[in-house]
Amino acid sequence: MSRFAIGATDFELDGRPHRILAGALHYFRVHPDLWADRIRKARLMGLNTIETYVAWNAHEPRRGEWDATEALDLGRFLDLVAAEGMHAIVRPGPYICAEWDNGGLPAWLFRDAEVGVRRSEPRYLDAVTRYLERVYEIVAPRQIDDGGPVVLVQIENEYGAYGADKDYLAELVRVTREAGITVPLTTIDQPVPQMLADGSLPGLHLTGSFGSRAAERMAALREFQPTGPLMCMEFWCGWFDDWGSHHHVTDASESAAELDAILAAGGSVNIYMFHGGTNFGLTNGANDKGRYAPITTSYDYDAPLDEAGHPTGKYFAFREVIARYAPVPEEVPSPPAPAPGFEATLVPGPALLAVADRLGEGSDHDALPSLDDLGQDRGIAIFTTELPGRPACDGPATLVVGEEVRDRAWVLVDGKPVGVLARDAHERALHLPAARGELAIVVEDQGRVNYGPRIGEHKGLIGGVALDGEDLRGWRARPLDLDRVPRLATEWADAATDVAAGPVAGPRFWTAAFDLDAAADLFLDTGDWGKGLVWANGFLLGRYWRRGPQRTLIVPEPVTRPGRNELVVLEFEALAEASARFVAAPLLGHAEI
Ligand code: GLA
């Protein structure tokens, strides 16, 4: 049993000064079979602590349905940290930002227009309390004073950049303490006096977040909080990517110099990210500060341990810096072997519209509903209606979305694609060849905003859809359950019927099969494809998009198997080459430096 405390100048472990050398590793962004490997590699870099957020919307996908098993088994993750002889920091939010869908807040919270998120509003606090109690059931018995690894728990996340409701923070603290959390509690803010003031509460230890000008930022934090250990809880040693921008990298030696500055100032650190991992499935967040910018599937973050779990130049540069301040194990992780390179033919499957009724139940609505009205938190929905026609004239018509497209809409008339409306280009009007025919609009939620005031906004065709100024009514809405895709794909592969019949244009499924000698990490090059989703052996790898910067999707080894492997692709637009190409190493796109 150990004691961990906040002393006058340092963290204290059993009464002795202790420096936290932590690395961020989100269990929900790494395949669970690989957790132990990533944790071990953190220790080999010289770290003594693993930090993770907890993603509320992953654990409670529907109100009251709690899941902490398999890929969400936080308890097992913390036990693996302990088994490696390391400490853990847990940051349960409830808001986490983290470039994660909706910043971790469940979309269902926002169905109630009256709910007041991230403040002391009773309905919100009620849901938060139940969430935190469940998290702390896992965390409390794993605290250091009970022989477990957990040394710190964080309250909220950069709250000073959002609000100043001290009653809210106090309530989070009350719930946390009542649930049996006894370790010191921290807050994090960018080291700007106003944010530090708004985001903190007496009794909570303040930490900072920054990636550059470390010495200056540490001094700003010290000025605001004259006693206690100095800690950078998020040392941004890289950055995230959004579709359509470049791949963000930071110079390894410059990052190493910043790390050195933090440690030279006597500070503790959490390297954000030590290993970023992947936004598997549809879990990525987005920013919108004037232009909607969804986060890529890769969360490589230019971190010391890359997305595939391999050490980079930054890993060794950081290890060298750490070795000046603390003992570092002699062993180093082995360098990566190239992944298998090969190609598999993509075979056309059915058009999405042809099998939509197998992927979700339809419902009828007079006014166009949002995805949220349909109870859908993420993914794809299809809206269809009969266009009214115009007796006098058969010419083109203009389709207009009232307020905003969230986030991308493929418009088809009588099954033929006529155009796309993209939120990131502020598009909401489109010419149709004629005012008649069956209109189908396939809408993709590309990820909920994870930072700022647009968190929680509803998805879909917001503000309704009009044709030549007339509101279109009488819709059939079908939210898709994408979990059904792999099963459906087996059925159509087995069926003797020609599922590929019909026009190729428009959203369509494709499949590929390939054989492997042994399970292996694979890098699927999607550079010749348009925009869509890919499943490998039933596991939704995530989104791809020819816009880049990301070109390859990682297929983690535990998802693959010796012998036959299957891919299912849902391509919304067009393939330049109907083949699945696997390459030796990841291609995350062009950088700016
Ligand atoms: C802030 C947040 C993190 C993350 C980083 C950027 O510091 O606290 O969750 O969003 O920004 O990667």
Side-chain angles (χ1 to χ4, degrees), residues 53 91 96-99 157-158 188 190 209 234 236 239-240 272 299 301 450:
Y53 279 130
R91 303 197 293 160
I96 61 169
C97 193
E99 292 70 67
N157 193 71
E158 288 192 339
I188 183 175
Q190 292 158 43
S209 52
E234 282 181 34
W236 303 323
W239 203 241
F240 55 84
Y272 190 100
Y299 198 63
Y301 215 84
N450 58 264

Side-chain angles (χ1 to χ4, degrees), residues 306-481:
D306 73 12
E307 186 183 2
H310 299 306
T312 61
K314 201 176 273 178
Y315 182 98
F316 294 105
F318 281 14
R319 185 173 176 274
E320 225 178 279
V321 170
I322 293 168
R324 287 180 215 143
Y325 300 89
V328 165
E330 253 173 53
E331 187 188 345
V332 289
S334 37
F342 59 94
E343 217 166 312
T345 305
L346 283 178
V347 178
L352 174 64
L353 293 185
V355 289
D357 59 345
R358 313 271 302 274
L359 293 173
E361 280 68 52
S363 54
D364 294 316
H365 306 260
D366 184 36
L368 183 67
S370 67
L371 269 59
D372 300 74
D373 293 334
L374 299 169
Q376 188 182 21
D377 287 353
R378 273 183 194 159
I380 315 290
I382 303 177
F383 300 94
T384 48
T385 189
E386 195 61 40
L387 293 174
R390 266 188 321 228
C393 137
D394 205 23
T398 307
L399 185 86
V400 176
V401 175
E403 206 179 299
E404 192 167 52
V405 174
R406 295 188 195 140
D407 301 300
R408 191 172 180 86
W410 290 275
V411 182
L412 300 96
V413 176
D414 293 331
K416 292 192 194 66
V418 293
V420 181
L421 293 171
R423 171 177 177 181
D424 52 20
H426 303 286
E427 291 166 341
R428 58 186 188 92
L430 186 74
H431 289 304
L432 303 186
R436 60 186 157 67
E438 210 213 7
L439 174 71
I441 309 182
V442 178
V443 177
E444 181 192 8
D445 152 23
Q446 290 182 260
R448 290 180 193 257
V449 169
N450 58 264
Y451 186 83
R454 298 191 70 154
I455 290 170
E457 62 189 0
H458 288 192
K459 293 290 191 175
L461 302 167
I462 307 301
V465 173
L467 191 74
D468 289 340
E470 287 287 313
D471 207 20
L472 289 176
R473 308 193 81 84
W475 293 89
R476 184 138 188 91
R478 194 182 299 278
L480 302 188
D481 175 3

Side-chain angles (χ1 to χ4, degrees), residues 37-353:
D37 173 74
R38 306 316 192 233
I39 294 166
R40 180 166 169 277
K41 286 170 177 165
R43 185 178 62 76
L44 295 186
M45 197 177 83
L47 301 180
N48 57 24
T49 306
I50 296 290
E51 178 276 321
T52 186
Y53 279 130
V54 181
W56 181 3
N57 54 0
H59 286 281
E60 195 174 353
R62 279 162 294 280
R63 191 188 284 273
E65 279 180 32
W66 179 251
D67 182 8
T69 62
E70 297 175 15
L72 294 171
D73 192 345
L74 172 62
R76 179 176 161 259
F77 179 79
L78 294 174
D79 293 344
L80 290 171
V81 172
E84 200 60 49
M86 299 176 81
H87 289 156
I89 299 172
V90 180
R91 303 197 293 160
Y95 164 78
I96 61 169
C97 193
E99 292 70 67
W100 187 256
D101 189 43
N102 223 19
L105 294 174
W108 49 255
L109 259 182
F110 297 80
R111 301 251 162 80
D112 175 356
E114 302 299 306
V115 80
V117 293
R118 302 187 76 192
R119 60 186 170 84
S120 47
E121 186 278 318
R123 278 166 292 195
Y124 170 68
L125 284 179
D126 187 51
V128 167
T129 303
R130 274 179 285 123
Y131 158 66
L132 287 178
E133 283 171 356
R134 280 172 170 138
V135 173
Y136 294 143
E137 263 170 39
I138 298 167
V139 174
R142 292 178 170 88
Q143 296 179 96
I144 190 158
D145 30 12
D146 277 329
V150 178
V151 292
L152 292 176
V153 168
Q154 182 181 292
I155 299 294
E156 251 281 350
N157 193 71
E158 288 192 339
Y159 186 61
Y162 181 87
D165 183 345
K166 302 288 179 172
D167 293 341
Y168 167 51
L169 293 179
E171 182 59 11
L172 295 182
V173 172
R174 191 191 65 75
V175 172
T176 303
R177 289 299 186 210
E178 259 182 31
I181 297 299
T182 51
V183 293
L185 304 181
T186 57
T187 56
I188 183 175
D189 274 292
Q190 292 158 43
V192 176
Q194 191 60 51
M195 293 195 191
L196 291 166
D198 289 347
S200 63
L201 207 61
L204 304 186
H205 192 66
L206 277 76
T207 69
S209 52
F210 51 83
S212 59
R213 305 198 334 249
E216 182 190 322
R217 263 94 183 228
M218 293 292 270
L221 185 59
R222 175 46 85 217
E223 200 175 315
F224 195 87
Q225 181 175 249
T227 64
L230 266 177
M231 179 161 188
C232 175
M233 185 59 91
E234 282 181 34
F235 165 50
W236 303 323
C237 66
W239 203 241
F240 55 84
D241 293 344
D242 46 81
W243 294 109
S245 78
H246 61 278
H247 173 44
H248 293 76
V249 295
T250 59
D251 181 80
S253 54
E254 279 171 29
S255 280
E258 297 289 353
L259 176 61
D260 203 355
I262 295 172
L263 300 183
S268 282
V269 70
N270 175 39
I271 296 165
Y272 190 100
M273 297 293 298
F274 162 68
H275 171 55
T278 309
N279 295 312
F280 291 121
L282 305 176
T283 57
N284 66 279
N287 282 293
D288 193 338
K289 297 169 183 166
R291 178 182 69 88
Y292 176 68
I295 307 296
T296 55
T297 300
S298 169
Y299 198 63
D300 178 85
Y301 215 84
D302 197 29
L305 200 69
D306 73 12
E307 186 183 2
H310 299 306
T312 61
K314 201 176 273 178
Y315 182 98
F316 294 105
F318 281 14
R319 185 173 176 274
E320 225 178 279
V321 170
I322 293 168
R324 287 180 215 143
Y325 300 89
V328 165
E330 253 173 53
E331 187 188 345
V332 289
S334 37
F342 59 94
E343 217 166 312
T345 305
L346 283 178
V347 178
L352 174 64
L353 293 185

